[in-house]
């Protein structure tokens, strides 16, 4: 039987049954393990880098800057380049957005999951990845974004709703939890190999406030957002 665009659209917008609580808890436990277990983290951190650079890019556009390109690297670092005023609130917000993006995206995903639009969440992720792909300027970045998108598409298109639900919760839990660890990695890197190019040190130059203070702000925001996400899904 031929599948039409209308059929696909209806499937995307249809609500799915909320999974059993043990699935939500198991997904949270697996996501936390993925953040803490170094071999898995080294792979999963690429997804965090996509969220990080995507946050820079989105806020740059919203603040009126001209986005020129995004590069993702195999060491899980990344660079987002935009044109505009080299100082001011727009630049400050653009630089600030990176380290808080993963946790905030995770929280927004939780809000969508609470409406039972599981397939819609997966397809929204695909739309965001497709938009980001247009601005990628290196081969590894293309591979990283396309690979992530291929996994999300395969789950949303070829698996039953129960598997989609488990994957969606795992994916969102991971983004929520994964926002915290890079902040501590940032501070360790600043101590061992100081660099004027880190987000915290760029914010220090833009605001006159110490870079370490900005690291603490990143940490506080991500911990607070993570706590709210846990409360919404497991306690509220």
């Amino acid at each position: 039987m031929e599948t039409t665009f209308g059929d696909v659209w209806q499937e995307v917008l249809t609500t799915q049954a909320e999974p059993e609580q043990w699935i939500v808890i198991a997904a949270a436990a697996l996501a936390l393990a993925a953040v803490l277990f170094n071999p898995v983290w080294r792979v999963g951190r690429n997804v965090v880098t996509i969220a990080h650079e995507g946050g820079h890019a989105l806020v740059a556009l919203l603040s009126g800057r001209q986005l020129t390109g995004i590069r993702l690297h195999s060491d899980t670092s990344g660079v987002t380049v935009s044109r505009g005023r080299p100082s001011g609130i727009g630049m400050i917000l653009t630089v600030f957005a990176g380290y808080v993006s993963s946790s905030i995206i995770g929280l927004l995903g939780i809000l969508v999951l609470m409406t039972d639009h599981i397939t819609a969440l997966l397809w929204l992720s695909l739309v965001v990845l497709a938009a980001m792909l247009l601005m990628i300027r290196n081969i590894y970045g293309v591979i990283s974004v396309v690979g992530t998108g291929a996994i999300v598409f395969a789950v949303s298109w070829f698996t039953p709703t129960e598997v989609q639900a488990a994957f969606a919760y795992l994916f969102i839990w991971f983004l929520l939890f994964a926002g915290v660890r890079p902040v501590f990695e940032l501070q360790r890197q600043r101590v061992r190999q100081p660099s004027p190019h880190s987000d915290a040190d760029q914010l220090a130059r833009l605001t006159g406030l110490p870079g370490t203070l900005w690291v603490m702000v990143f940490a506080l925001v991500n911990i607070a957002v993570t706590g709210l996400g846990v409360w919404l899904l497991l306690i509220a």
Side-chain angles (χ1 to χ4, degrees), residues 58-145:
L58 177 60
V59 175
L61 291 173
L62 292 176
S63 61
R65 300 181 63 80
Q66 181 183 357
L67 185 63
T68 59
I70 301 170
R71 300 176 72 88
L72 307 174
H73 303 136
S74 58
D75 63 355
T76 70
S77 65
V79 178
T80 297
V81 180
S82 61
R83 295 177 181 172
R85 257 186 89 188
S87 60
I89 188 63
M91 187 63 185
I92 292 171
L93 291 175
T94 296
V95 177
F96 180 79
Y99 274 97
V100 299
S101 290
S102 179
S103 293
I104 290 176
I105 293 170
L107 179 61
L108 293 175
I110 285 174
L111 296 178
V112 175
L113 289 176
M114 290 176 69
T115 69
D116 297 330
H117 286 88
I118 294 169
T119 302
L121 173 67
L122 297 177
W123 279 71
L124 178 60
S125 302
L126 290 173
V127 171
V128 172
L129 288 169
M132 190 171 177
L133 183 61
L134 297 176
M135 298 307 302
I136 297 294
R137 295 294 182 263
N138 66 323
I139 296 298
Y140 185 83
V142 170
I143 293 172
S144 185
V145 173

